[in-house]
Amino acid sequence: MTTQPTEAILTRGLAKSFDEWPVLWNLDLSVPWGQSLVLFGANGTGKTTLLRILATHVWADHGTVAVAGHNLRTNPEYARRKIGVVGHRSLLYDDLTCRENLVYYSRLFGLKNHKSRVEEVLETVKLRDRADFRVRTFSNGMQKRASIARAILHRPDVLLLDEPETGLDRESVSILGELLSEWTDSGRSVVMTTHDLDLGMNWGTRVGVLRGGKINFPDEKLTACGSKSHDNQIRQAVTDSLEATG
Amino acid sequence: MSGLLGPILIIVWKDLLLELRSKDLVVSIVVFGLVVVVVFNFALNNTPGRSAELAPGILWSAFAFSAVLGMNRAFVRDQEQGGLEGLLISPISRDAIFLGKALTSLIFMLLVEAALLPVYAVMLDFSVLSWSLMLTIFLGTLGFAVVGTLFSAIAVQTRSREIMLPVLFFPVLLPVIIAAVEASTRAVGGVTFIGLGRWLPLIVVFDALFLVICPWVFSFVVEE
């Protein structure tokens, strides 16, 4: 960790449009190590686009993005080793078993001793007893758990989660909460989007609202005004910000 | 090269395993290939006296149509199930992804051709036991696989992918198809490698060009 850069994620002047429709513009964001940033925002405000840019799946039109110190434009392959992604789709093949999918991804990421690591993540997401079943036979929640297993397989420094709670039952949500807590406790970072205010407030060490192409941080505004940022005040500020977006 | 080879083999392993599970691609192409040859055989009134003249054309028409059918599916599963996105966020080069998919397509097509050739040989009355014919088929199929993989990656992102692929595929591959038919005509006629003249080197040159250009273009095609 001695050579680690000071920020897990650093963006400067980030802009992205789809055709003529601007989604993100001049967005500056820094996420320190060990922080769990939860992003709220109405539909179409660019939450998923931001995560896809950070995941190197979509290129920004302007600006610079660095994840774990690697510039995504010049060094994407190194950055990808440091990033784990859980999106709306599981990125798993229906006709492979859960274990085969995980072995496949562990080999793509060049993991040594991948067999033991696959068993470890299967245990973490409580899918060991269903590991040899085809993903096609899984419920949505189980597919999401398998997707989480895929994302943490290579022990990424930065986890990007796009509405990860969708489709999960209470037990799975609790497993995910513990996992995220372990992740940030060990000095790694998480950026997550959600529409669930309670969950976001519980899991995030910092909350932001994406609006008008930029991220507002209601808790920082409260602190700047001299107010002690209690959960209720932050919650209210997030709600106000979301309502203003609508 | 070892940095490329590992991911290429992983992609091939995954695609072969998926095909082994579903068997939908290879079986449907073999059936289609048989139908094409039967139709051409009757439409062109192929007789033993004319088979050396007609067989190579029928053979490559069947291979080319079968290749389009197969290439149409090359990226569909990856696109539908998110596997392509999974590959794109993995720390492997776009070249490795392209070459892995192209090698898988080449293996599928060669398997299909190996299944079809004996049947074609009987129906069209020619001998498949010719090294020059085998080499021509391999090199022609390599060109199909490389170009088809690139255009399949382009077509899969469009709404009319079934139409888009042949529209892109055939004009670019026309020189390879013509050279393959000419080389096969000579090979069926019993000539050696030297007798194949300029046609085999022409396929080699096109394959080499495609192997350089297509992976490079692919890296732009898959970026958003």
Side-chain angles (χ1 to χ4, degrees):
Chain A
M1 295 292 270
T2 49
T3 56
Q4 214 156 24
T6 51
E7 306 287 339
I9 294 171
L10 191 66
T11 77
R12 287 285 171 262
L14 192 68
K16 179 71 184 175
S17 305
F18 290 104
D19 297 324
E20 297 301 309
W21 184 258
V23 179
L24 304 171
W25 62 91
N26 209 17
L27 188 146
D28 295 334
L29 172 68
S30 67
V31 181
W33 291 106
Q35 188 174 79
S36 172
L37 170 65
V38 175
L39 292 175
F40 297 99
N43 293 333
T45 49
K47 302 186 299 296
T48 299
T49 301
L50 176 61
L51 290 194
R52 282 160 68 89
I53 290 172
L54 296 175
T56 76
H57 189 222
V58 170
W59 295 117
D61 298 334
H62 301 287
T64 58
V65 192
V67 175
H70 298 288
N71 186 313
L72 298 192
R73 185 67 68 172
T74 57
N75 240 347
E77 281 172 36
Y78 285 99
R80 286 181 194 121
R81 290 185 190 282
K82 308 283 184 185
I83 301 168
V85 185
V86 177
H88 291 286
R89 300 205 289 175
S90 70
L91 313 188
L92 302 171
Y93 290 94
D94 288 349
D95 284 320
L96 296 184
T97 66
C98 183
R99 182 177 274 115
E100 284 166 347
N101 270 295
L102 295 177
V103 168
Y104 165 66
Y105 276 103
S106 62
R107 290 169 73 188
L108 281 182
F109 277 85
L111 297 191
K112 287 169 185 149
N113 303 322
H114 66 263
K115 280 184 183 166
S116 59
R117 180 60 185 154
V118 166
E119 294 309 315
E120 208 177 307
V121 295
L122 282 169
E123 186 58 45
T124 305
V125 299
K126 306 277 185 279
L127 275 177
R128 212 165 183 176
D129 55 337
R130 297 295 298 269
D132 293 314
F133 285 76
R134 291 190 194 185
V135 169
R136 176 182 297 285
T137 64
F138 282 15
S139 67
N140 280 342
M142 287 165 73
Q143 286 196 23
K144 182 70 87 170
R145 275 153 61 187
S147 176
I148 293 165
R150 171 193 53 72
I152 62 170
L153 201 54
H154 56 292
R155 299 185 179 89
D157 287 341
V158 175
L159 259 182
L160 305 172
L161 311 167
D162 197 1
E163 299 174 24
E165 78 284 2
T166 313
L168 292 181
D169 59 20
R170 200 179 288 181
E171 190 201 345
S172 306
V173 168
S174 153
I175 292 169
L176 180 59
E178 282 171 29
L179 177 79
L180 296 186
S181 172
E182 268 175 43
W183 219 257
T184 47
D185 287 348
S186 63
R188 289 172 283 189
S189 302
V190 175
V191 178
M192 182 187 128
T193 70
T194 183
H195 290 290
D196 188 326
L197 197 56
D198 292 326
L199 206 69
M201 295 295 296
N202 280 336
W203 287 356
T205 49
R206 187 182 175 203
V207 293
V209 178
L210 244 171
R211 185 185 163 197
K214 291 191 173 67
I215 303 175
N216 304 308
F217 294 101
D219 49 348
E220 285 171 9
K221 278 183 192 161
L222 286 167
T223 311
C225 296
S227 112
K228 201 177 168 194
S229 50
H230 293 300
D231 265 11
N232 281 343
Q233 288 173 294
I234 298 172
R235 191 185 298 265
Q236 189 56 50
V238 170
T239 310
D240 291 346
S241 198
L242 284 170
E243 279 170 2
T245 311
Chain B
M1 190 62 194
S2 63
L4 267 182
L5 193 61
I8 289 172
L9 295 179
I10 295 162
I11 293 167
V12 171
W13 167 79
K14 178 263 298 173
D15 281 340
L16 290 180
L17 193 58
L18 282 169
E19 181 54 28
L20 205 65
R21 295 268 160 84
S22 65
K23 297 181 188 71
D24 56 353
L25 192 63
V26 171
V27 172
S28 54
I29 299 173
V30 168
V31 171
F32 179 76
L34 285 173
V35 171
V36 170
V37 169
V38 170
V39 170
F40 272 111
N41 203 25
F42 283 99
L44 298 174
N45 192 23
N46 188 25
T47 55
R50 299 178 68 204
S51 68
E53 185 188 333
L54 293 177
I58 297 174
L59 185 79
W60 281 100
S61 300
F63 285 171
F65 289 135
S66 303
V68 169
L69 191 70
M71 297 311 308
N72 251 328
R73 299 289 303 168
F75 279 98
V76 169
R77 194 159 20 203
D78 296 275
Q79 181 82 352
E80 283 174 354
Q81 298 176 14
L84 184 58
E85 192 179 331
L87 282 170
L88 295 175
I89 60 170
S90 302
I92 60 171
S93 70
R94 274 41 179 159
D95 289 352
I97 298 172
F98 177 83
L99 293 172
K101 297 301 290 183
L103 181 57
T104 308
S105 298
L106 178 67
I107 293 170
F108 283 154
M109 280 191 241
L110 289 176
L111 282 174
V112 168
E113 288 165 3
L116 290 174
L117 259 180
V119 184
Y120 288 178
V122 172
M123 288 174 75
L124 302 172
D125 190 26
F126 68 91
S127 169
V128 291
L129 300 174
S130 152
W131 284 110
S132 40
L133 180 64
M134 292 296 169
L135 186 64
T136 306
I137 288 173
F138 175 79
L139 290 172
T141 308
L142 178 63
F144 284 8
V146 174
V147 174
T149 300
L150 174 66
F151 289 148
S152 176
I154 295 172
V156 81
Q157 298 179 42
T158 65
R159 257 180 281 178
S160 52
R161 61 183 174 224
E162 284 82 7
I163 300 165
M164 186 62 76
L165 182 62
V167 167
L168 295 168
F169 184 81
F170 283 116
V172 174
L173 270 174
L174 208 56
V176 172
I177 296 171
I178 292 169
V181 171
E182 291 293 343
S184 300
T185 305
R186 285 157 178 75
V188 167
V191 301
T192 58
F193 291 126
I194 296 160
L196 296 178
R198 63 180 184 276
W199 299 110
L200 211 56
L202 189 68
I203 305 175
V204 172
V205 168
F206 269 98
D207 283 356
L209 270 176
F210 293 148
L211 274 167
V212 173
I213 295 168
C214 292
W216 178 71
V217 176
F218 177 80
S219 63
F220 295 100
V221 168
V222 291
E223 300 298 353
E224 281 185 47

